[in-house]
Amino acid sequence: MPQNVMVSVVGEGEYMPKLVRAILCKEVIPPRNLFLSSKNKAACEAAEGYSVSLCEDDISAVIKSEIVLVTAPKREMPTELAKISGSSQKRLIVTVCDSEQIDLAYISERIAAVTEFIAAVLHRDENGKLYATYEISQKARLFLHQPCRDLVNAMCDLINEEG
């Protein structure tokens, strides 16, 4: 059953289009509840064929959402977090990265206004299967924990299915 939350996906890197595609293919949320920047070509291509909500830019997408998924390689994560730092209040920020250094302390140092965040760290098991571990801030609203896990886990499942 789809979660009834408003979600934006911002960022770059190999996981960003996979995250968008997984959210839509696995029907984690209704397509209209997914907000993407019309300037993010990779996100728009991943959402092709779905009735997602396109916004003018990343900031517009962030403002319309409850959950903001930010994905980028470790070296680019500070840039992506800086882009949304001014509009992230009252939103749950979820970083999606394959570096354990992108944790709650890292996020709180870069986005001071955010009190709700989750660090989703991507790992590979001994068989090469992708999975995520989660570090959740104490102020993150409890009812949003599972939707955040569902969103990221959908990407892991889709990547594992594709091999």
Side-chain angles (χ1 to χ4, degrees), residues 97-117:
C97 187
D98 56 9
S99 172
E100 291 184 13
Q101 294 177 339
I102 309 298
D103 59 8
L104 294 183
Y106 183 94
I107 302 166
S108 64
E109 287 173 6
R110 282 152 183 83
I111 307 183
V114 174
T115 56
E116 295 183 78
F117 35 86

Side-chain angles (χ1 to χ4, degrees), residues 139-153:
K139 293 185 179 179
R141 290 168 283 174
L142 189 59
F143 74 94
L144 291 176
H145 291 197
Q146 193 58 51
C148 292
R149 285 188 188 99
D150 291 347
L151 292 159
V152 176
N153 289 342

Side-chain angles (χ1 to χ4, degrees), residues 70 72-75 77-78 81 92-112 114-123 133-138:
V70 183
K74 179 185 173 264
R75 68 182 181 282
M77 189 61 77
L81 292 174
L92 176 58
I93 305 299
V94 181
T95 56
V96 181
C97 187
D98 56 9
S99 172
E100 291 184 13
Q101 294 177 339
I102 309 298
D103 59 8
L104 294 183
Y106 183 94
I107 302 166
S108 64
E109 287 173 6
R110 282 152 183 83
I111 307 183
V114 174
T115 56
E116 295 183 78
F117 35 86
I118 295 176
V121 179
L122 304 174
H123 309 272
T133 57
Y134 301 91
E135 187 180 8
I136 302 172
S137 68
Q138 288 190 347

